[in-house]
């Protein structure tokens, strides 16, 4: 089947007489119109399937995905005919992007297999969204992910933490056979459009050869790893004070449930346990949000006002009537936050179950960053309406969050004062590092695992074991209770259940500081990176807007250059931002046995 298909591809790719330029242009016009029509249909079904999980909405999104998948793989095959046709650079770039579309995953041409893949993908997402933990005998009070995440964030009780941690992971067990099948089917789809496997397709989206991209991740992580190791060392020593040497041993990895987060991916919730100078500076934004009875709309309006302060336009009226900002009481939804442009023409929405926490205030800015990007590139052909690369998309809102300084929080009434002495700076930096630095190894290992799974280097009988090997190696953490191949812990993370690539968040982790540095310079704010702010700068808004409007029309180094004058991803901005904390940590951990 594959061999004959490849042959068919080769023949189609090289017609004796290449189609004319006019034929090529007609093909591109059809491609754009059909892609837009099917994508809008898919996004509409996807929106209801995630804001109203039922058997029927799963079916609807499955069908819409099937149609889009069929169109995508057929169009890639057809596009090969135009290899020698004289097409303009924008058309060539659209054809490149066409082959790189990875949501939905590439599907086999065989309609039965395609239907199976679409239905499995919908089922995996729904399993995640509906997941509940009802206690060991199944008869306890059932808690959803949001409730279990609250336990992870707030509890300091070992057993309670283990229960929430392991309880949520039971949700992923039934995903295992579905996941395995999904890998096989989407790999088949990827091979039919000329990739070795899905992982190679994912790594191909960065204007460099896929092997070079894997090396690029290693390069960036290699430069940041020492900073993570310092943080790990310090946090471990403070957790050891709290939980004892028997539970948090010297030189050992940290038990995963102690870091304030279901996936140990960011650690800001243990800030109170590790604060360098207790009582110095007010940092409790969550308490102020709760006390001030901030509701979801107010939080989003506050986010919007950051963007409008830079001269960007307000959100359209329909955003406020069509978004889902709070968790509905009467139906199952996917709470994992996301931002949408359903029709590629300003039908912007956010889907999120907002709570009055600092985490969620940050996520609101993150999501609005997506929406402002989407709106800025709306004039482009549909296939170019996406980020310069996917890490850009994830970095936009977060880059602005770096300008949410204590002074700005005071302006919003969320902090009483912005203490500026050295100790307050170290405290504030620690909080930020728990979020940003702790996140780096997690965001690398997510796709390291999947690249290996898709490439067949990790076989299904080692799905869980290999996951924890990577967590030990990259993050220096261990599961609190024994795991086995009856578990499927990777599936307890949204992006794995839903097939969303993750390297983008690692890249964003680096890029957001680079954007911040560039924007502070444009704003003429010459203070150190951890204090400078671009809030209110119209000039930054203009330059930022120019980069956003480029979408994916040019290779990403061009977009980066438009804002920063730089053409490489550069971790030095992040290192510079955290310079005060790095110095403090070096001092504090001197003579300690670090590492694991
Ligand atoms: O998934 C997200 C966003 C939507 S694109 C809420 N994030 C990653 C995660 O939650 O794991 C943002 C940070 C990392
Ligand atoms: Zn995002």
């Amino acid at each position: 089947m594959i061999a004959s298909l490849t042959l068919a591809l080769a023949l189609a790719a090289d017609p004796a007489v290449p189609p004319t330029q006019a034929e090529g242009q007609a093909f591109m016009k059809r491609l754009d119109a059909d892609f837009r029509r099917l994508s809008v249909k898919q996004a509409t079904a996807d929106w209801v399937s995630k804001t109203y999980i039922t058997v029927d909405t799963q079916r609807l999104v499955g069908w819409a995905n099937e149609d889009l998948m069929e169109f995508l793989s057929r169009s890639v095959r057809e596009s090969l005919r135009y290899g020698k046709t004289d097409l303009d650079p924008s058309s060539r770039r659209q054809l490149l992007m066409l082959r790189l579309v990875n949501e939905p995953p590439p599907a086999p041409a065989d309609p039965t297999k395609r239907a199976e893949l679409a239905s499995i993908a919908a089922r995996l997402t729904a399993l995640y969204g509906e997941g509940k933990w009802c206690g060991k005998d199944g008869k306890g009070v059932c808690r959803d992910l949001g409730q279990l995440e609250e336990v992870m964030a707030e509890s300091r009780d070992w057993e309670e933490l283990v229960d929430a941690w392991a309880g949520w992971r039971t949700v992923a067990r039934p995903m295992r056979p579905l996941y395995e099948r999904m890998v096989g089917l989407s790999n088949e789809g990827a091979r039919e459009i000329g990739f070795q496997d899905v992982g190679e397709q994912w790594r191909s989206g960065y204007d460099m050869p896929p092997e070079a991209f894997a090396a690029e991740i290693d390069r960036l992580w290699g430069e940041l790893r020492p900073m993570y190791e310092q943080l790990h060392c310090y946090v471990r020593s403070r957790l050891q004070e709290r939980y004892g040497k028997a539970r948090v041993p010297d030189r050992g990895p940290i038990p995963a449930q102690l870091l304030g987060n279901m996936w140990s991916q960011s650690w800001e919730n243990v800030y109170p346990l590790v604060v360098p100078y207790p009582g110095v500076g007010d940092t409790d934004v969550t308490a102020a949000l709760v006390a001030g009875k901030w509701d979801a709309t107010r939080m989003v309006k506050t986010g919007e006002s950051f963007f409008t302060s830079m001269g960007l336009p307000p959100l359209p009226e329909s955003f406020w009537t069509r978004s889902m900002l709070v968790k509905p009481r009467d139906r199952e939804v996917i709470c994992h936050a996301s931002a949408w442009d359903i029709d590629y023409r300003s039908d912007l929405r956010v889907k999120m179950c907002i709570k009055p926490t600092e985490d969620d205030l940050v996520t609101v800015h993150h999501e609005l960053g997506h929406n402002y990007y989407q709106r800025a590139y709306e004039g482009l052909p549909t296939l170019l309406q996406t980020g310069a690369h996917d890490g850009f998309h994830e970095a936009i809102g977060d880059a602005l969050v770096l300008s949410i300084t204590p002074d700005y929080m005071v302006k919003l009434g969320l902090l009483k004062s912005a203490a500026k002495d050295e100790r307050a700076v170290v405290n504030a930096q620690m909080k930020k590092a728990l979020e940003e630095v702790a996140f780096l190894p997690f965001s690398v290992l997510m796709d390291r695992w999947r690249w290996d799974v898709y490439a067949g280097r990790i076989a299904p009988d080692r799905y869980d074991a290999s996951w924890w090997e990577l967590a030990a190696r990259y993050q220096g953490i261990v599961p609190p209770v024994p795991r086995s191949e009856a578990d499927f812990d990777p599936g307890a993370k949204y992006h794995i259940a839903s097939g969303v690539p993750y390297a983008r968040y690692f890249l964003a982790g680096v890029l957001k500081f680079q954007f911040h540095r560039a924007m502070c310079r444009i704003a003429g704010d010459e203070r150190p990176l951890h204090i400078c702010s671009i809030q209110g700068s119209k000039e930054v808004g203009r330059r930022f807007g120019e980069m956003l409007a480029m979408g994916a029309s040019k290779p990403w180094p061009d977009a980066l250059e438009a804002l920063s004058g730089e053409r490489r991803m550069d971790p030095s901005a992040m290192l510079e931002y955290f310079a005060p904390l790095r110095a403090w940590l070096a001092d504090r951990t001197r003579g300690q046995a670090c590492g694991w």
Side-chain angles (χ1 to χ4, degrees), residues 3 10 43 99 120 133-134 142 149 155 218 240 246 259 311 318 329 358-359 362 366 388 398 451 455 489 543 549 588:
R99 201 166 152 257
I120 289 181
W133 169 236
C134 308
C142 294
E149 281 191 88
S155 172
D218 287 343
Q240 193 178 65
L259 291 160
S318 58
R329 273 180 297 191
E358 183 173 2
D359 271 4
V362 168
H366 175 94
D398 289 12
W451 293 348
D489 295 324
R543 290 279 299 275
R588 172 68 204 232

Side-chain angles (χ1 to χ4, degrees), residues 337 366-367 370 393-394 505:
H366 175 94
E367 296 308 329
H370 287 308
H393 230 301
E394 299 303 336
Y505 298 104

Side-chain angles (χ1 to χ4, degrees), residues 265 336-337 363 366-367 370 394 439 493 495 502 505:
Q265 69 178 64
H336 191 88
T363 304
H366 175 94
E367 296 308 329
H370 287 308
E394 299 303 336
F439 180 66
K493 176 68 194 164
H495 303 72
Y502 210 84
Y505 298 104

